[in-house]
Amino acid sequence: MVGTRTMATVSDVPEFDPQRYPPFPSDIPTAPIKKISLAKLLSKDTAEIDALFEACKTYGFFYLSTRDHPQGEALEQGSLNMARIAEETFKLPLEEKKRCSMQNTGTIFGYKHAGGSKTDATGTLDTAEFMNTAKDSIINNASWPIPSTVKSNQDLFEPFVTTAHKTGLGILKLIGEKLGLPEEEVTNRHRITQSSGDQVRMTRSPPLSAAAALEKQIATPAHTDFGSITLLFNWLGGLQIWEPEDPDGSKFWSSSRHSEKGEWKYVRPVPGYAICNLGDAMTRFSNGVLNSGKHRVLPAPGPQGEFVRYSIVYFVRPEDAVPLQVLKAEGIPPYEGKEDEVVKTAGEHIVERARGLGVDTGNAKAVRSDV
Ligand SMILES: O=C(O)CCC(=O)C(=O)O
Ligand SMILES: [Fe+2]
């Protein structure tokens, strides 16, 4: 395989080419996250919904099948289209990528160059490039700058965004039902027509280097996603999730994720499955019942580490105007904080997170109100 790669000229060989990737090593411990069938969820299979709910209360991560229902097949095909566009996008001249930089949008939409954030206290820089395209640029004519490769492929973005949003929302509704939330409590917070932080993220990070320690090659540092649910497509390993040592020692898994005790476990990429995880908004809405799992990305281990790594992510987030507060339902412990606590909206929270990433959000509110 590698032989063919070195014989061909660089431009002949796509970087994103899952056919060429060797399997994930069989001798590395991986996180035991559950496989959930999209077809069974869509047919309201109660045992499958119970398994989904259990996954969301523990790891907050699960595999979602993409080959047992046409909706899943559309998602998988869409993710492949997105990854091919990602390769074209990252090859664009730096000026074109910087025209769309997060600094220019003043928010989390747009381009982040590799090395845009720190991965540890000694200032080691991350190695992943991101291009984030707002759902609202695709569906609702928002005027954020987008690169030429996204503009010329709007016809491929549109069905991917629509299907990913519909799939994510469908899962959120099932989880909401288990918590005792009426369906509209979930749907009215995630309408595709409303301004939100939903986005398609394309990522690219370099192969494993023998010259540096693994901890100095972090593509994306430890974080939790801050929306409601994330649909992730990756073809090479490298994603790790945090497994707390004693999750039952805390009242909820969601609080044990802050524990210093535990270990990072790789998530094996499995053909025919997306990886889904909940974000912080769901932990907040459910007062800690649901877990937004901590994770990070390293270069892929073993022979997979020879390849440039791409991933495609769709983030479903609450509408900008939604207050991030505990919801009332039978399955949610009542909020015990101050009644008069100032509650942030999802839109405000996003501006804060962007600032945390070093983005100058000085005029972010003015820009966002254009949407
Ligand atoms: O690339 C991956 O596998 C995960 C990316 C991720 O966690 C993120 O973009 O939030
Ligand atoms: Fe993430």
Side-chain angles (χ1 to χ4, degrees):
M1 290 284 179
V2 176
T4 0
R5 194 160 56 127
T6 43
M7 275 166 64
T9 62
V10 173
S11 58
D12 288 341
V13 182
E15 278 185 346
F16 175 73
D17 192 359
Q19 305 280 0
R20 280 174 33 236
Y21 303 157
F24 186 87
S26 54
D27 56 351
I28 292 185
T30 50
I33 60 171
K34 294 287 182 293
K35 291 198 173 106
I36 301 292
S37 154
L38 177 60
K40 286 188 184 170
L41 292 184
L42 292 173
S43 67
K44 299 264 166 95
D45 179 300
T46 47
E48 204 67 4
I49 297 171
D50 287 349
L52 166 73
F53 192 53
E54 192 54 30
C56 293
K57 287 192 294 184
T58 55
Y59 286 90
F61 269 82
F62 57 92
Y63 292 107
L64 181 70
S65 64
T66 54
R67 295 187 186 160
D68 63 358
H69 191 280
Q71 191 171 319
E73 282 161 18
L75 268 179
E76 185 174 357
Q77 186 53 52
S79 70
L80 290 166
N81 294 338
M82 295 298 106
R84 290 185 188 114
I85 301 168
E87 183 168 347
E88 276 178 56
T89 303
F90 292 122
K91 273 195 215 141
L92 288 170
L94 191 59
E95 311 88 82
E96 166 70 353
K97 293 189 278 189
K98 284 202 163 159
R99 185 178 61 78
C100 310
S101 71
M102 282 162 55
Q103 293 296 347
N104 281 353
T105 65
T107 180
I108 45 146
F109 303 135
Y111 180 64
K112 182 195 82 69
H113 60 89
S117 62
K118 298 195 172 76
T119 65
D120 62 25
T122 68
T124 309
L125 300 177
D126 74 272
T127 67
E129 265 185 288
F130 288 174
M131 183 66 84
N132 297 328
T133 302
K135 170 265 285 171
D136 292 318
S137 296
I138 303 298
I139 305 285
N140 297 323
N141 294 318
S143 55
W144 306 109
I146 52 173
S148 53
T149 46
V150 174
K151 200 168 174 55
S152 61
N153 284 295
Q154 292 247 25
D155 59 327
L156 294 175
F157 267 80
E158 206 262 353
F160 180 67
V161 165
T162 312
T163 312
H165 184 277
K166 176 168 136 187
T167 307
L169 183 52
I171 294 171
L172 293 179
K173 279 196 279 190
L174 295 174
I175 301 168
E177 215 174 299
K178 291 292 290 181
L179 291 170
L181 283 169
E183 187 173 308
E184 61 276 12
E185 292 282 321
V186 177
T187 47
N188 288 346
R189 288 179 167 80
H190 300 93
R191 290 165 294 182
I192 198 166
T193 50
Q194 300 301 305
S195 164
S196 76
D198 274 39
Q199 62 183 11
V200 179
R201 171 173 296 163
M202 308 188 283
T203 89
R204 177 187 184 277
S205 51
L208 185 67
S209 158
L214 193 56
E215 291 287 326
K216 294 283 167 197
Q217 304 181 50
I218 294 180
T220 302
H223 66 282
T224 53
D225 293 347
F226 59 86
S228 300
I229 190 165
T230 304
L231 278 70
L232 167 64
F233 302 85
N234 58 32
W235 294 264
L236 293 170
L239 172 68
Q240 292 188 317
I241 62 181
W242 179 250
E243 191 171 63
E245 188 180 279
D246 181 18
D248 301 327
S250 312
K251 192 167 161 208
F252 299 118
W253 254 75
S254 64
S255 42
S256 63
R257 73 171 185 254
H258 301 296
S259 158
E260 298 272 300
K261 286 196 192 141
E263 62 179 320
W264 289 108
K265 286 262 177 78
Y266 282 104
V267 178
R268 178 192 301 277
V270 183
Y273 288 85
I275 297 165
C276 290
N277 64 286
L278 297 188
D280 300 345
M282 293 308 282
T283 298
R284 180 72 176 156
F285 291 150
S286 69
N287 206 7
V289 172
L290 304 171
N291 185 22
S292 165
K294 188 162 76 178
H295 54 288
R296 66 178 189 174
V297 183
L298 300 177
Q304 288 196 339
E306 286 180 30
F307 292 84
V308 173
R309 183 180 190 278
Y310 284 84
S311 67
I312 298 299
V313 199
Y314 188 85
F315 297 95
V316 180
R317 293 173 168 148
E319 297 169 18
D320 285 341
V322 169
L324 295 176
Q325 63 192 5
V326 175
L327 304 181
K328 291 194 175 79
E330 212 178 308
I332 301 180
Y335 177 64
E336 283 176 346
K338 289 193 225 117
E339 279 302 325
D340 58 352
E341 188 200 24
V342 180
V343 176
K344 271 180 298 188
T345 62
E348 287 162 349
H349 184 64
I350 283 178
V351 171
E352 253 176 45
R353 288 286 288 245
R355 222 179 276 136
L357 289 171
V359 174
D360 173 7
T361 54
N363 59 0
K365 284 214 176 88
V367 178
R368 288 193 71 79
S369 64
D370 294 340
V371 181

